[in-house]
């Protein structure tokens, strides 16, 4: 379970961000599609466990299985690339531009949504026997989750919007810590352990993850949830994406870069040996 020190895994973070900017459209979309699908299958699994056992903690403990699998297979979530790719831009890696970063984010968002929506349709079919009967208990629970996390926030007005945004920030603070966790070890067991803990925390605490929500809300609408597509976009997805961006970039990527990157180390060394005035 070999540990990689911060100065080394921060370099790996920057390298990963740079590689994603130059990745082909085809590969980016495939990797994002699979990431969205696998993560949301994990979410469906966690909700099923919670409903069948009545124990939310049991669902939270087992939810990270999808997250761990998708990162071990080299797939990409929007929440991860919003943390890693900006570091390559800040580090002034050759050829990395703002346009390239936004292109990557757009492609990953599209792929994640396509993967999550595919799983939403497939799971809705299983919950309703091909839309021939009312949703089962798990399907009904997903519909209620969609209501609570859209019109539930809207009922509180500006305070609800602030709460939604903050939950998005806190979510990707933890999820991106999990992304970095995969770089902290050279063994599979070490990677899984480091990813598992923060992702379990975010799910149990009810924070807002933009890609998980790409499954929960379309699925909720198909399963009879009393909210609209506009409710989903305005009172969840858009503020959640913005909160995820702030949480992942500011509290994980930028914080680590500022103190552990090669540039930060060089600045510290220069300050240490600078002549006194």
């Amino acid at each position: 379970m070999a540990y990689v020190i911060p100065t080394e895994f921060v370099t790996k973070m920057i390298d990963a961000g740079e590689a994603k900017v130059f990745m082909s459209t085809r590969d980016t979309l495939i990797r994002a599609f699979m990431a969205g699908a696998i993560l949301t299958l994990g979410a469906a699994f966690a909700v099923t466990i919670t409903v069948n056992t009545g124990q939310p903690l049991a669902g939270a403990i087992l939810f990270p299985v999808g997250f761990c699998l998708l990162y071990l297979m080299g797939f990409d979530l929007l929440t991860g690339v919003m943390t890693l790719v900006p570091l390559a831009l800040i580090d002034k890696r050759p050829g990395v531009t703002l346009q390239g970063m936004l292109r990557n984010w757009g492609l990953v968002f599209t792929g994640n949504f396509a993967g999550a929506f595919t799983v939403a349709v497939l799971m809705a079919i299983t919950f309703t026997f091909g839309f021939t009967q009312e949703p089962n208990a798990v399907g009904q629970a997903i519909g209620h989750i969609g209501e609570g996390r859209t019109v539930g926030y809207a009922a509180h007005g500006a305070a609800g919007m602030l709460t939604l945004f903050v939950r998005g920030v806190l979510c990707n603070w933890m999820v991106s810590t999990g992304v970095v966790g995969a770089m902290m070890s050279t063994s599979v067991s070490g990677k899984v352990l480091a990813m598992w803990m923060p992702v379990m925390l975010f799910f149990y605490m009810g924070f807002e993850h933009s890609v998980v929500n790409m499954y929960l809300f379309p699925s909720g609408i198909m399963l009879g949830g009393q909210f609209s597509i506009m409710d989903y976009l305005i009172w969840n997805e858009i503020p959640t994406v913005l909160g995820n961006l702030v949480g992942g970039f500011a509290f994980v990527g930028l914080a680590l870069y500022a103190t552990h990157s090669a540039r930060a180390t060089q600045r510290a060394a220069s300050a240490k040996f600078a002549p006194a005035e």
Side-chain angles (χ1 to χ4, degrees):
M1 200 179 294
Y3 171 64
V4 179
I5 63 173
T7 52
E8 293 179 359
F9 70 67
V10 167
T11 299
K12 294 174 66 176
M13 291 168 64
I14 301 168
D15 291 342
E18 179 183 12
K20 295 179 193 308
V21 170
F22 298 115
M23 193 182 301
S24 71
T25 298
R26 170 186 171 277
D27 286 344
T28 303
L29 287 173
I30 291 173
R31 296 182 190 192
F33 178 94
M34 293 304 299
I38 293 171
L39 182 74
T40 54
L41 277 169
F45 173 55
V47 174
T48 300
I49 292 170
T50 299
V51 171
N52 289 343
T53 66
Q55 298 294 329
L57 181 58
I61 289 172
L62 294 173
F63 166 73
V65 64
F67 181 86
C68 293
L69 286 172
L70 75 90
Y71 269 104
L72 289 175
M73 290 188 284
F75 298 144
D76 286 326
L77 291 174
L78 179 65
T79 44
V81 298
M82 289 192 302
T83 299
L84 299 177
V85 176
L87 301 184
L89 184 64
I90 294 172
D91 203 59
K92 299 180 180 179
R93 291 294 177 92
V96 177
T97 63
L98 177 61
Q99 182 180 0
M101 180 181 75
L102 296 177
R103 168 187 169 276
N104 173 262
W105 288 359
L107 290 172
V108 173
F109 180 97
T110 301
N112 283 171
F113 187 86
F117 186 77
T118 298
V119 171
V121 172
L122 296 176
M123 293 306 300
I125 291 171
T126 68
F127 293 146
T128 62
F129 274 84
F131 300 105
T132 61
Q133 64 181 44
E134 291 298 309
N136 63 13
V138 178
Q140 293 174 23
I142 291 174
H144 292 314
I145 290 172
E147 293 171 7
R149 293 191 175 184
T150 51
V151 294
Y153 286 124
H156 294 278
M161 185 64 75
L162 175 62
T163 301
L164 170 58
F165 175 79
V166 169
R167 286 181 175 175
V169 172
L170 293 170
C171 171
N172 208 24
W173 190 344
M174 291 296 95
V175 172
S176 288
T177 298
V179 172
V180 176
M183 302 179 183
M184 291 179 180
S185 173
T186 58
S187 71
V188 172
S189 59
K191 290 175 182 290
V192 168
L193 180 62
M195 287 188 281
W196 203 283
M197 295 182 291
V199 173
M200 176 179 65
L201 186 156
F202 115 71
F203 195 83
Y204 185 73
M205 295 290 286
F207 298 152
E208 298 286 351
H209 190 280
S210 55
V211 182
V212 171
N213 292 350
M214 292 174 187
Y215 161 74
L216 288 175
F217 294 92
S219 183
I221 291 173
M222 286 184 277
L223 295 169
Q226 299 301 304
F227 61 98
S228 68
I229 294 174
M230 289 305 295
D231 289 331
Y232 158 59
L233 292 175
I234 295 173
W235 285 99
N236 195 283
E237 190 64 36
I238 295 173
T240 296
V241 168
L242 295 175
N244 287 171
L245 173 59
V246 172
F249 175 60
F251 292 108
V252 181
L254 190 59
L256 286 167
Y257 181 87
T259 190
H260 289 306
S261 69
R263 288 180 182 272
T265 303
Q266 290 169 1
R267 287 194 299 270
S270 297
K272 180 178 180 180
F273 294 108
E277 293 183 3

